Amino acid sequence: MQHKVIDADDVVIKFAGDSGDGMQLTGALFANMSAVYGNGLATFPDYPAEIRAPKGTVSGVSGFQVHIGSHPVCTPGDYCDMLVAMNPAALKANAKCLKRTALVLVNEDAFDDAGLEKAGFTRNPFEELHIDDRTIISAPITKLTEESLKDSGLDTVSVHKCRNMFTLGMACFIYGRPLEYIYGYLEKKFGRKHPEMLAPNKKVVTDGFNYAAAIQAVPNTYMVAPAELEKGLYRSITGNQAIAWGLIAAAEKAGLPLFCGSYPITPATTILEELAIYKNLNVKTMQTEDEIAGICTAIGASFAGSLAVTTTSGPGLSLKSEALGLAVMTELPLVVVDVQRAGPCTGMPTKTEQADLDEALYGRNGESPLPVMAAHSPAHCFEAAFMAAKIALEHMTPVILLSEGFLGNGSEPWKIPSMKDCPDIKPRFAAEREGAFSPFERDADTLAREWAVPGRKGFEHRVGGLEKTHCGVLSNDPVNHELMVSERAEKVARLAACIPALKVDGPSHGRLLVVGWGGTYGHIATAVASVREKGADVSSAHFDFINPLPENTEEVLSGFGRILVCELNGGQFADYLRSRHPGHEYIRYNKIQGQTFLAAELGDAIEKAL
Amino acid sequence: MSQYTFKDFKSDQEVRWCPGCGDYSVLAALQRILPKVCEEKGIEKEKVVVVSGIGCSSRLPYYMNTYGFHSIHGRATAIATGVKVANPELCVWQASGDGDALAIGGNHFIHAIRRNVDINIMLFNNRIYGMTKGQYSPTSKFGAITKTSPYGTVENPFEPGSLVLGAKGTFFARSLDVDLALNEEIMLAASRHEGTSVMEFLTNCVIFNNGAHAEISSREHRADHTIVLRAGEKMIFGAERNRGIMLDGWKLRTVTIGEDGVGEDDILVHDPHSDNIGLQMMLAEMKGPEFPVALGVIRDVASPTYDKCVCEQCGSVTAKASIRSVDELLTSGSVWEVK
């Protein structure tokens, strides 16, 4: 049949099913295919904490959201243009995120009495969810996959594992995507290791594509043209991968080996996994016995002359507190990456939040300030990790880099930088001298001490958690303690002169400044742009550096009548900003649901604040 | 001859342990063997790193003129591990007390042993918390009366040797603070051992647990209540050198040579290099009044070290890898060009 082809500026698709249905892979393949095609792209995987929650239940639904555009996009999208629901639970879990015009593709075979009951439906699920006015494509995906593969020789379990490929084939037809990319992927995945799986997978994705083309249920197809992106070489990258690569890049630039001591924790684990691959790039990783050993092995490695890193999430950061204090006290370079998740305590491990800010800023005993930075998008994680390492090595301090589950798992296209364009990193190795080495003598400008690594003759010295004089001698002298405390604080404060100025998106003076930090960047930018398009007097500013704040912070804030601070916590950054820059009218917009902002809700909040 | 003497390893810091503290002799032994260690390994003294946790004995790095790291309570083993894995060319020594290594740091302790990281752990066991002024430790005897156990403890102590061997440790030795020569002997053996070497020093705390090991360390009792085990030597002890250790079925037995038909041939010969961890465990656990306490190197077996395995893996992966730089990494795999 003839389908009407509609040009779309952007489209949001969510693939959802049981955690065993392969929806993460399906979504990632669709996303990568779109990236290579040239679309603007942002993704967000949303999965349960359980590896295999009870089959068919709402708690076991795993989803992967893809936002593609004919222009650069910077959020995974608020509402879906298409939902793929492999079972009734997936439909139920995602019904609220459907646009009024949405297309809903369901696997009819999973909508039997048992399936409906498991998802808690008592009558027609579409009516019960009030989505019966959407375009529903009900396809017997299980039966069609079985039919497609009846001569393949695969057993039933293997056949059912191919249902996601049938679905992907249908999605490719609906969005006008040729299957070559998928074929290429399948050849790479199965060609050598499991050649028996190659032909069936190719067949089933093709059959899915052809089935969608043949049925009348698909009213239109949609074309999202390539976006106009800056020229260059691109790849798709997740936040966690970008952090790992940023750290490897910093080590190479600094001419140091990279050491990562970490303990697996959701959603940070994939950084350790990624780093563990690259032993060929002078990277050593240790999966330690606990979080404390993660940071302590890193501190040991730092003392021994490596760029040292530990990666974790909130509960792990709590366990690392005392050792972080040791790194503050010994003034050793160290990067601590916290991929935040919903807390407190174990909280909601797979859900995103920005509530570890207070912990990063203040979560140690004594006066122990350290630089705190935040990454604002999956691709920005590379630059943020690189900068965190640069600051640690050049200023001799531990640095906390805050990321978020949303950034760590999310992906977007990334224009690949060349290492020659990345800034130099010059570790503060001790200069040659006559006489004894004083480990806590400081640079006159930055107040950073020097780094003398074991193995270097004549620089033998002792560091530790006890207060010391500049010469490294233990001291309980009250005046010395106050001096050392103030110097360590001043060292961090003076970083403000070395970090980029805060940028304002929009006019530098006006009625309202929308402020954010971390992973809310895309949503805030989208919301502010849409409100400004309506003629509103609003600008935005996004903080990548939190401690210290950029030098021009006061100047920026002073340009506006009101400041709306938006964050995914109870208002931690708003409190912090007000304590550092009092005298402005601050309003807050907070969300603590383990979910990202919706650009639409931010738009409403901005209009209300104007 | 070594280019160094013990003076090269003494720092200018005043040693601030209590007069009569058992830690002095361990410090002295370390300073005395390090010239020989450097000579044997062919290394300069700047390759020596001493790491410690928190507690009286953990002040040791300040008294050594080497690179030193006085860290936080319980974490010395993890920090020492990081130092060694980051740079396996360093010669790493760790000083920890019974609280530091076996209470708050117990997890790191057993995992370092499991991995067999090539570090030398000097475990100062005085069976008390001295620095916090007299609370019981995980090695205090059942019923020990201390400030936090005024009516006696109701918990069993750890035997460090059992813990080390239980974690399949590759080296365990024991000495008495008062026996400077034996301290040096086991330290040199620990230095020669590749892997995690645990040396338990039974030390006295003159202030809070005076006589911690008096029943075996006092001059009149030492010969009868301890046995120094040495590779290839018969397990004979006693002031008159007429007592020995025999295997009796599955158990050890203390015997007197010349009595009940027991001859020297019946006495066990010590083999720390055998992988018979069961026998070594029995030796490590011997205690009075039935048995003498075993001193010397109880177990010393060869096994790959963690730090070497890490380096070898890095080397073999690098040899086969096609990606050699970050630029090559960034442009590897699925990339596309926007023109």
Side-chain angles (χ1 to χ4, degrees):
Chain A
M1 68 172 280
Q2 276 295 345
H3 296 87
K4 196 171 153 197
V5 181
I6 295 174
D7 285 317
D9 279 345
D10 61 348
V11 158
V12 177
I13 306 165
K14 183 151 190 181
F15 297 89
D18 237 352
S19 11
D21 278 339
M23 290 295 101
Q24 299 296 327
L25 174 64
T26 311
L29 277 174
F30 192 88
N32 290 343
M33 179 170 59
S34 304
V36 172
Y37 179 70
N39 289 132
L41 170 75
T43 73
F44 182 50
D46 184 17
Y47 53 92
E50 299 80 9
I51 302 303
R52 292 281 186 274
K55 204 168 165 352
T57 61
V58 176
S59 65
V61 173
S62 163
F64 193 101
Q65 191 160 315
V66 185
H67 184 185
I68 57 176
S70 59
H71 51 85
V73 297
C74 47
T75 78
D78 290 359
Y79 297 101
C80 298
D81 294 282
M82 178 161 102
L83 170 67
V84 174
M86 295 301 280
N87 64 16
L91 182 72
K92 192 170 205 176
N94 293 290
K96 278 194 184 140
C97 70
L98 293 176
K99 284 186 188 164
R100 299 226 67 90
T101 54
L103 208 62
V104 181
L105 168 58
V106 300
N107 177 13
E108 185 182 290
D109 296 324
F111 281 64
D112 55 6
D113 290 347
L116 292 169
E117 196 188 325
K118 269 188 211 153
F121 288 112
T122 51
R123 53 195 179 97
N124 181 315
F126 303 100
E127 285 173 13
E128 201 172 319
L129 297 168
H130 308 291
I131 53 168
D132 46 325
D133 57 341
R134 312 298 205 280
T135 306
I136 315 278
I137 307 171
S138 190
I141 292 172
T142 305
K143 287 202 192 83
L144 290 165
T145 305
E146 286 169 353
E147 178 63 26
S148 165
L149 297 178
K150 66 174 189 241
D151 300 325
S152 66
L154 296 181
D155 58 47
T156 314
V157 175
S158 304
V159 166
H160 285 181
K161 277 191 179 164
C162 294
R163 284 181 297 206
N164 63 336
M165 283 295 148
F166 191 92
T167 316
L168 181 60
M170 289 185 73
C172 286
F173 172 77
I174 296 169
Y175 291 97
R177 297 289 145 99
L179 295 176
E180 274 61 36
Y181 179 87
I182 310 292
Y183 292 156
Y185 164 82
L186 292 170
E187 270 154 24
K188 215 169 157 191
K189 180 171 179 186
F190 296 122
R192 241 196 261 161
K193 280 189 186 159
H194 300 284
E196 75 283 1
M197 296 298 293
L198 178 60
N201 272 285
K202 270 183 155 179
K203 179 168 190 308
V204 80
V205 73
T206 313
D207 287 352
F209 186 96
N210 292 337
Y211 171 78
I215 57 169
Q216 302 218 345
V218 178
N220 307 311
T221 65
Y222 302 86
M223 286 303 295
V224 182
E228 278 198 23
L229 298 171
E230 207 182 321
K231 281 184 184 139
L233 203 58
Y234 281 75
R235 68 180 308 131
S236 177
I237 197 159
T238 67
N240 279 354
Q241 190 183 21
I243 283 182
W245 289 16
L247 293 168
I248 298 173
E252 186 186 87
K253 202 76 181 181
L256 295 175
L258 178 65
F259 177 94
C260 177
S262 285
Y263 188 78
I265 183 169
T266 303
T269 313
T270 48
I271 304 175
L272 174 61
E273 290 174 356
E274 185 73 18
L275 287 173
I277 299 170
Y278 297 108
K279 302 192 192 306
N280 46 319
L281 294 175
N282 214 2
V283 179
K284 283 179 185 165
T285 55
M286 252 193 100
Q287 182 178 313
T288 51
E289 57 274 20
D290 57 28
E291 293 280 358
I292 298 172
I295 186 169
C296 286
T297 51
I299 290 172
S302 170
F303 182 67
S306 291
L307 167 55
V309 177
T310 185
T311 54
T312 191
S313 186
L317 187 62
S318 304
L319 285 164
K320 294 180 198 296
S321 295
E322 187 194 14
L324 254 174
L326 178 66
V328 168
M329 198 64 160
T330 52
E331 304 188 48
L332 283 166
L334 174 73
V335 177
V336 180
V337 180
D338 173 10
V339 187
Q340 298 165 95
R341 66 192 215 187
C345 194
T346 314
M348 300 193 288
T350 59
K351 305 299 174 192
T352 203
E353 207 159 89
Q354 298 184 302
D356 294 351
L357 178 63
D358 279 350
E359 184 181 21
L361 286 168
Y362 312 116
R364 291 162 296 284
N365 66 308
E367 295 287 344
S368 53
L370 49 74
V372 177
M373 300 171 52
H376 69 236
S377 77
H380 178 248
C381 284
F382 179 87
E383 189 190 323
F386 186 94
M387 281 305 288
K390 180 175 162 71
I391 289 170
L393 290 167
E394 292 182 347
H395 296 261
M396 293 296 284
T397 176
V399 175
I400 293 181
L401 171 60
L402 295 172
S403 179
E404 293 153 46
F406 162 65
L407 299 178
N409 292 320
S411 68
E412 63 182 351
W414 176 49
K415 183 165 178 278
I416 300 168
S418 167
M419 284 305 292
K420 68 176 178 349
D421 300 328
C422 292
D424 283 336
I425 298 180
K426 294 180 176 138
R428 272 190 55 76
F429 288 123
E432 283 305 326
R433 75 197 59 222
E434 297 286 317
F437 171 60
S438 284
F440 296 97
E441 250 172 35
R442 300 174 185 285
D443 178 83
D445 291 330
T446 65
L447 297 187
R449 76 176 189 94
E450 287 183 322
W451 196 14
V453 169
R456 194 155 165 207
K457 193 180 175 122
F459 285 75
E460 288 92 336
H461 67 283
R462 273 66 57 193
V463 296
L466 288 171
E467 188 64 280
K468 294 179 181 60
T469 64
H470 289 148
C471 306
V473 176
L474 297 189
S475 170
N476 282 318
D477 179 71
V479 175
N480 177 70
H481 176 52
E482 194 162 83
L483 174 72
M484 294 303 268
V485 163
S486 65
E487 284 183 357
R488 286 187 291 262
E490 179 67 15
K491 175 180 75 174
V492 175
R494 286 193 190 181
L495 255 179
C498 311
I499 60 175
L502 182 64
K503 280 192 208 126
V504 179
D505 181 9
S508 60
H509 288 76
R511 202 162 158 160
L512 181 71
L513 179 71
V514 182
V515 159
W517 65 278
T520 55
Y521 171 75
H523 295 94
I524 292 176
T526 307
V528 169
S530 74
V531 177
R532 203 187 297 137
E533 239 170 54
K534 296 181 200 164
D537 180 8
V538 57
S539 298
S540 65
H542 205 79
F543 286 86
D544 293 338
F545 292 88
I546 293 174
N547 191 35
L549 292 165
E551 270 186 323
N552 65 331
T553 301
E554 183 60 35
E555 186 190 325
V556 168
L557 298 179
S558 301
F560 296 88
R562 279 179 176 177
I563 294 145
L564 173 65
V565 185
C566 305
E567 49 188 329
L568 299 171
N569 59 40
Q572 298 179 12
F573 186 64
D575 285 344
Y576 172 74
L577 198 58
R578 189 171 53 192
S579 74
R580 300 291 160 120
H581 294 279
H584 302 284
E585 188 186 344
Y586 291 100
I587 334 170
R588 301 144 184 254
Y589 187 73
N590 303 112
K591 181 173 178 178
I592 321 168
Q593 301 178 3
Q595 302 287 335
T596 61
F597 281 126
L598 301 178
E601 68 182 327
L602 282 178
D604 292 346
I606 293 165
E607 283 176 351
K608 225 171 120 187
L610 273 162
Chain B
M1 270 301 286
S2 173
Q3 58 174 319
Y4 303 112
T5 70
F6 77 97
K7 282 184 189 160
D8 291 308
F9 291 92
K10 282 176 96 161
S11 78
D12 56 2
Q13 300 288 298
E14 181 194 359
V15 184
R16 292 195 196 168
W17 288 316
C18 306
C21 175
D23 296 354
Y24 281 97
S25 67
V26 183
L27 171 65
L30 182 63
Q31 288 164 338
R32 288 162 71 125
I33 59 112
L34 280 176
K36 178 125 180 124
V37 167
C38 288
E39 184 192 346
E40 286 183 2
K41 293 186 183 289
I43 58 169
E44 312 288 317
K45 78 181 258 285
E46 54 269 21
K47 289 272 173 73
V48 176
V49 178
V50 185
V51 180
S52 67
I54 293 291
C56 293
S57 56
S58 287
R59 293 290 180 110
L60 186 138
Y62 294 120
Y63 309 138
M64 302 290 300
N65 185 19
T66 62
Y67 282 92
F69 202 141
H70 175 221
S71 72
I72 45 177
H73 202 22
R75 315 305 166 200
T77 318
I79 288 174
T81 297
V83 170
K84 184 69 186 180
V85 175
N87 184 359
E89 286 182 8
L90 299 174
C91 174
V92 181
W93 293 75
Q94 178 192 333
S96 281
D98 37 309
D100 198 58
L102 305 181
I104 189 167
N107 200 27
H108 311 308
F109 183 73
I110 54 174
H111 285 277
I113 292 167
R114 171 177 72 81
R115 294 190 183 104
N116 201 31
V117 188
D118 190 11
I119 55 176
N120 306 300
I121 302 176
M122 299 174 285
L123 171 58
F124 294 68
N125 183 6
N126 59 7
R127 304 188 194 278
I128 195 79
Y129 282 37
M131 185 148 259
T132 50
K133 302 191 181 1
Q135 302 77 26
Y136 65 89
S137 90
T139 57
S140 296
K141 291 172 184 162
F142 190 101
I145 291 177
T146 72
K147 284 187 183 161
T148 47
S149 56
Y151 310 107
T153 64
V154 289
E155 51 189 273
N156 286 313
F158 267 143
E159 287 298 339
S162 319
L163 209 56
V164 172
L165 299 189
K168 297 278 164 71
T170 55
F171 183 100
F172 178 72
R174 192 187 281 139
S175 184
L176 275 172
D177 52 4
V178 289
D179 194 340
L180 188 60
L182 186 61
N183 291 349
E184 291 180 27
E185 183 181 320
I186 70 166
M187 280 178 179
L188 272 173
S191 161
R192 289 168 191 148
H193 173 75
E194 290 185 14
T196 307
S197 307
V198 180
M199 296 153 270
E200 180 190 14
F201 296 100
L202 300 173
T203 53
N204 191 30
C205 174
V206 281
I207 307 297
F208 297 107
N209 197 19
N210 198 16
H213 309 284
E215 70 277 19
I216 58 169
S217 63
S218 67
R219 273 189 194 284
E220 72 254 46
H221 291 139
R222 205 185 308 168
D224 287 325
H225 293 182
T226 64
I227 179 169
V228 179
L229 300 176
R230 288 195 176 91
E233 290 185 11
K234 287 197 177 293
M235 299 184 195
I236 294 174
F237 70 104
E240 293 168 25
R241 303 291 296 165
N242 65 343
R243 305 184 69 199
I245 307 292
M246 248 183 82
L247 201 54
D248 182 5
W250 294 99
K251 289 181 171 176
L252 295 178
R253 190 151 68 94
T254 306
V255 293
T256 304
I257 299 164
E259 282 180 13
D260 303 326
V262 173
E264 261 202 47
D265 290 348
D266 299 315
I267 305 301
L268 281 172
V269 174
H270 183 48
D271 184 4
H273 310 305
S274 130
D275 208 23
N276 188 346
I277 205 164
L279 179 59
Q280 289 154 354
M281 181 76 96
M282 285 195 281
L283 292 168
E285 289 186 339
M286 291 194 301
K287 61 183 168 198
E290 190 185 351
F291 291 104
V293 169
L295 304 176
V297 179
I298 293 171
R299 179 174 165 85
D300 179 2
V301 297
S303 180
T305 69
Y306 178 84
D307 39 290
K308 259 199 188 146
C309 290
V310 167
C311 287
E312 280 167 14
Q313 197 173 58
C314 288
S316 68
V317 171
T318 305
K320 284 184 223 148
S322 54
I323 293 172
R324 304 254 158 194
S325 69
V326 174
D327 276 326
E328 287 173 16
L329 169 67
L330 301 187
T331 52
S332 65
S334 183
V335 298
W336 67 94
E337 193 167 4
V338 173
K339 289 178 186 161

